[in-house]
Amino acid sequence: EDKVVQSPLSLVVHEGDTVTLNCSYEVTNFRSLLWYKQEKKAPTFLFMLTSSGIEKKSGRLSSILDKKELFSILNITATQTGDSAIYLCAVGRSFGNEKLTFGTGTRLTIIP
Amino acid sequence: EAQVTQNPRYLITVTGKKLTVTCSQNMNHEYMSWYRQDPGLGLRQIYYSMNVEVTDKGDVPEGYKVSRKEKRNFPLILESPSPNQTSLYFCASSFSGRTYEQYFGPGTRLTVT
C-alpha cells in the first residue's frame, strides 16, 4: 500500500529559528513530490520536486528530494509568525495515474 | 478572479438523506478532484477527473459518486450519507499537465448525524 509519512507531527519554535520538516514515501510509479502549505483552510502549492539532489528555493523556504532514500525535507529559515501552518507533503504518480497521496501533515507553530 | 468555489460551505444533515456538494472553477482547468480531510488522517483523495466524462477513483471512493458533464463543474454526490462521512471536503483543480499545482476551494464542512 502506498504511504506518505511526515514528521514531526507537530513543532513549536520561536520566531527566527530554522526548522526542518520531513517527508518519507513508499509509492508505486513515483513521479513527483509536492509540498503544500495549509493556513486557515485551503492548501496552497509550494514546491514540486522530481529529481534527486536539486534544491528548490522560494525566499526562506527550500526543499530537496532524495529518490534513493525516498524522502524529502522542507527547510524554513528565519521563521516568522506567518509561517505558522500545516505543511503537507504529497506524492504524484506516473502519467496515466493522476492520484495524489498526501501525508498527515506537520503542524508548525511559530511563537513571537 | 480565478477561483474554485464550493457550495454549501457548511452542511448538517441526517443519515441517509442524499446530498450534493457542488464545485465550480473558472480557470478552464481540465483536472478536478475531491478530497476529504480528517484529523490524524490528512487529506485523502476521493475521486478525480482528467477531463469531461473522464473520472477515476482516488484512495477513498466508497460511499461517493461524481460526474463531470461540463468542464467547469465537478459535483460530489453522497447517495446515502453516514456519520463516518462527517468531514471537511475540498475540491481542487489544475491544468492537466500540472496536476501537482492544484488550486483548492475553500472547503465544505459536512456533519452527518
Side-chain angles (χ1 to χ4, degrees):
Chain A
E1 185 183 329
D2 294 341
K3 287 194 299 187
V4 179
V5 179
Q6 292 186 246
S7 63
L9 292 181
S10 179
L11 187 57
V12 180
V13 300
H14 287 96
E15 202 167 19
D17 288 350
T18 293
V19 298
T20 298
L21 310 182
N22 304 293
C23 176
S24 64
Y25 62 91
E26 291 177 33
V27 172
T28 308
N29 298 323
F30 172 88
R31 174 162 65 108
S32 56
L33 187 139
L34 320 165
W35 286 97
Y36 283 80
K37 178 182 182 182
Q38 185 175 20
E39 294 180 79
K40 292 203 169 66
K41 274 291 177 74
T44 55
F45 172 76
L46 292 175
F47 296 115
M48 182 188 77
L49 303 121
T50 56
S51 302
S52 279
I54 298 175
E55 187 181 45
K56 290 282 183 94
K57 293 196 77 168
S58 176
R60 296 175 294 101
L61 277 66
S62 64
S63 184
I64 197 161
L65 173 67
D66 186 329
K67 288 171 74 173
K68 183 179 176 186
E69 300 297 330
L70 308 183
F71 78 91
S72 172
I73 59 172
L74 176 67
N75 278 321
I76 308 175
T77 60
T79 51
Q80 301 169 358
T81 54
D83 295 326
S84 294
I86 297 172
Y87 290 84
L88 298 166
C89 170
V91 173
R93 295 164 182 78
S94 299
F95 293 104
N97 179 349
E98 300 295 340
K99 283 201 298 185
L100 273 187
T101 299
F102 281 79
T104 54
T106 293
R107 182 180 293 276
L108 176 63
T109 303
I110 310 298
I111 301 171
Chain B
E1 181 191 349
Q3 59 182 349
V4 179
T5 57
Q6 296 179 227
N7 281 293
R9 295 288 312 280
Y10 301 90
L11 178 61
I12 301 174
T13 189
V14 296
T15 299
K17 186 176 181 183
K18 181 179 178 180
L19 66 92
T20 299
V21 184
T22 64
C23 173
S24 184
Q25 50 91 6
N26 62 1
M27 295 169 277
N28 202 33
H29 286 164
E30 295 89 8
Y31 183 94
M32 296 186 75
S33 181
W34 276 102
Y35 299 89
R36 60 178 290 175
Q37 188 171 34
D38 303 287
L41 296 176
L43 267 172
R44 293 179 293 167
Q45 193 172 38
I46 303 171
Y47 270 95
Y48 65 93
S49 169
M50 294 297 296
N51 214 324
V52 176
E53 303 290 2
V54 181
T55 61
D56 211 341
K57 296 176 182 178
D59 288 320
V60 288
E62 296 78 19
Y64 304 94
K65 284 176 60 177
V66 293
S67 68
R68 187 90 182 273
K69 293 184 169 51
E70 304 166 282
K71 196 173 187 179
R72 62 181 294 130
N73 297 323
F74 191 44
L76 180 69
I77 303 156
L78 284 72
E79 295 268 5
S80 183
S82 62
N84 65 12
Q85 292 179 298
T86 292
S87 187
L88 177 60
Y89 290 86
F90 288 104
C91 179
S93 72
S94 69
F95 289 113
S96 60
R98 298 174 69 88
T99 54
Y100 51 88
E101 192 170 351
Q102 296 186 23
Y103 293 81
F104 282 78
T108 294
R109 173 75 66 184
L110 173 65
T111 302
V112 184
T113 61

